[in-house]
Structure formats: C-alpha cells, structure tokens
Amino acid sequence: MNPAEREELAGLLPSPGDPVLPSDRLNQLEAHIMREITAGAPVASARPAGEGRSPFRRFAAIAVPVGVAAAVGATLLTVGSGGTGGPSTDPEAVRLLNRIAKVAAAQDAPQVRDDQYVYTLVQGTEQITDKGQDTFRRSDWHAVDGKRDGLARITVLSGPSGKGTTDMKLNADPNATTYRELEALPTDTEALHDHVWSATEGQGPTHEEAALEMIGSMLESAALLPEVEAALYRAAARIPGVTVVDHAEDAAGRAGVGLAFGDGEERDVWVFGEKDLNYLGSEEVALLDVDVVDEAGQIPAG
C-alpha cells in the first residue's frame, strides 16, 4: 500500500479519542495512588507498638485529589490498562481454607458477657526511624460491648528503644467493630462473602485484596466465635488470589503453613499450625493468645 492509499484509509477511520477507564478500575487506581503517596506512613496491619488501635478496621473509600490523580494518571494508564485478567483461584488454597474452616467450627465458644473484655496478646516489630527495629509484645483489652475504655500494655523485648513496659488507655471508639458486632455477622458463607465484598468496594490495589484484608482484620477475635471464624475462612475461599505457602513463619518465628495474597510490599501471609491448623497470626504480627477476662489488665489463667 502506497502512502497516498494509507492516508486515504486513515481519513475514513474515527479519531482514537481519549482513553476512558471503567469506574471500578479508576477507583482502584486512585486507591493505589494514595497508597503510594502515603507509603511512608505506618501500616495499620503491622500494628505499631506505641499506638492505640481498634480491634478491627472499618474500610472507607479515600478520595484522591483530582490534581494528584492527573499528575500521575498517564503513567498508571500506561502500566495498568494493558492487563484484563483478574487474580486466579488456586484449588489447593480453596481446599486448605475449607479444612481450616472445619477445624475452626469444631471449637467450643465461650460464654461472653457485655461487662467483660476481649484480651489479645500479639508479638511483632516496629521500625524506629533509622535506628533499627523494636521487637515488642502487646496486650490489648477491649470492652465486649465497646462502651468502656480499654487498655494496651506494650513490652519492648529488644531493639533501640530499650526494654520496658508501657500502659496506655484505649478510649472507647464508636468507629471500631466490637465483639458484639463481630458476633452478629452472618455465618452463612454466601451472605458473609457478600457483606465483605460490598463493604470493600473500591478499596485496595484490587477488590480481592481489600476483601481478604478485611477478613484478616477480624481473625483474632473471631477465634472466640467458631461459627463466624469458619464462615470467614469459607468466604475467603470464594475470593480469587490466595495461594498456599508450604513453609511460613509468623512474626514470633513459629513455623506453619501459610496462605498468601497480594504482591510485593502489599503481600500478606496468614500462618496456621501445620498439624492443628489453628490461626497463629501473620508474618507481620503473631497472635499468641486470645481470651475473655473480667477486667482490663487481667491476664487469663494458664
């Protein structure tokens, strides 16, 4: 075809116009932009030792300023618009999640009163500027009904901050999910999956990762609610993107089998006992104990 013919043919074609992304993809890109902008901020799932926290996180959409989105939009469009496939379903991960759910459902549920506290003991690390990492253990007491102040007790085991223990009052937070709210979640797998999926719409680098992160944020106290815990694992089995990690370790160095999702710095790994499949926590935060006690500051017997 000679140049004249190509020019004539080009004139018959419509102009390409500006690329337009679907609204759900645009929301994902905007969330990604915000995560990049705030990359230096503390990550809630890593649980900094010196900060108060809610037992579970609410998920809310973050609006990105138009000017910021426009400044980096061209780069993200170039990188992100080429792929059309979503995360895949790993049959091995689905089978493992359903096995874990069966184990969880067989546990006994304690009787819990509104005047009691949910106690959790975790271990993790916290970066102290450029001096290195503290290794800490943290005990939290949260009111079952969420209407009373709680307590956090942080013990630095090693690191640049030096060993020591600090207590902090945790003010009652109306935006935190209470034990009673967790207890009220549907235990039907489809209903719980739909609840989590709806609550995380527009979140995360992907919707799948946001939904799995929300489930992960509820696993600690869900250990006290076997039917809810089992339903959470079964709901996770319906979300693509989870893979099995044969040799995983939690933040306390305990070996187990892992379930991973996300990529790079956004990768999360839940860790479970190799033999009993009990939830041990994650690679970032190890769950050492969870129980119900009568008073803030009380340590469970045994």
Side-chain angles (χ1 to χ4, degrees):
M1 182 182 293
N2 60 46
E5 290 173 329
R6 284 198 297 268
E7 184 176 351
E8 181 180 358
L9 181 60
L12 299 175
L13 297 174
S15 64
D18 295 327
V20 178
L21 286 176
S23 60
D24 59 342
R25 179 61 180 148
L26 183 58
N27 286 337
Q28 291 175 9
L29 292 174
E30 289 178 345
H32 177 77
I33 295 167
M34 182 57 74
R35 292 175 83 122
E36 290 296 319
I37 293 169
T38 60
V43 179
S45 62
R47 294 180 136 183
E51 296 183 4
R53 68 171 181 87
S54 301
F56 319 112
R57 282 198 292 169
R58 299 287 195 190
F59 286 75
I62 299 175
V64 178
V66 174
V68 174
V72 295
T75 301
L76 290 177
L77 286 172
T78 301
V79 173
S81 60
T84 56
S88 60
T89 298
D90 180 351
E92 185 182 0
V94 171
R95 287 192 293 270
L96 179 57
L97 279 163
N98 284 319
R99 285 175 57 204
I100 293 169
K102 186 175 181 179
V103 170
Q107 304 301 312
D108 294 328
Q111 296 295 318
V112 180
R113 305 188 311 268
D114 280 349
D115 64 343
Q116 292 182 301
Y117 292 81
V118 174
Y119 165 83
T120 57
L121 173 64
V122 301
Q123 180 171 319
T125 59
E126 181 181 16
Q127 184 67 34
I128 308 299
T129 60
D130 59 350
K131 298 179 180 179
Q133 286 187 331
D134 278 349
T135 298
F136 68 88
R137 285 191 176 181
R138 172 168 174 160
S139 300
D140 279 7
W141 291 264
H142 287 277
V144 166
D145 60 6
K147 297 179 180 179
R148 286 159 289 123
D149 293 339
L151 175 69
R153 178 167 295 154
I154 302 102
T155 299
V156 178
L157 304 177
S158 64
S161 296
K163 296 181 179 181
T165 299
T166 304
D167 282 2
M168 294 190 308
K169 183 176 78 170
L170 299 177
N171 294 325
D173 183 358
N175 295 315
T177 303
T178 67
Y179 175 88
R180 289 301 184 209
E181 289 174 318
L182 181 65
E183 184 181 41
L185 286 174
T187 55
D188 175 78
T189 303
E190 183 174 357
L192 184 56
H193 170 274
D194 292 347
H195 170 80
V196 171
W197 194 254
S198 175
T200 54
E201 185 175 1
Q203 300 298 312
T206 69
H207 195 166
E208 289 82 4
E209 287 180 41
L212 290 165
E213 187 178 353
M214 181 179 182
I215 289 173
S217 73
M218 295 186 283
L219 292 181
E220 287 181 9
S221 290
L224 300 171
L225 295 162
E227 291 186 5
V228 172
E229 184 183 17
L232 286 169
Y233 293 129
R234 293 190 179 108
R238 293 191 172 200
I239 302 172
V242 184
T243 58
V244 176
V245 179
D246 290 328
H247 303 290
E249 282 191 359
D250 69 7
R254 295 177 296 180
V257 59
L259 287 165
F261 60 92
D263 297 308
E265 293 183 357
E266 305 299 333
R267 184 174 184 260
D268 287 331
V269 180
W270 302 337
V271 184
F272 302 85
E274 290 179 337
K275 295 182 179 180
D276 59 17
L277 295 182
N278 287 329
Y279 179 63
L280 300 181
S282 71
E283 287 187 336
E284 292 184 338
V285 178
L287 177 62
L288 304 181
D289 194 11
V290 57
D291 210 331
V292 179
V293 295
D294 292 334
E295 298 178 0
Q298 180 183 350
I299 305 298

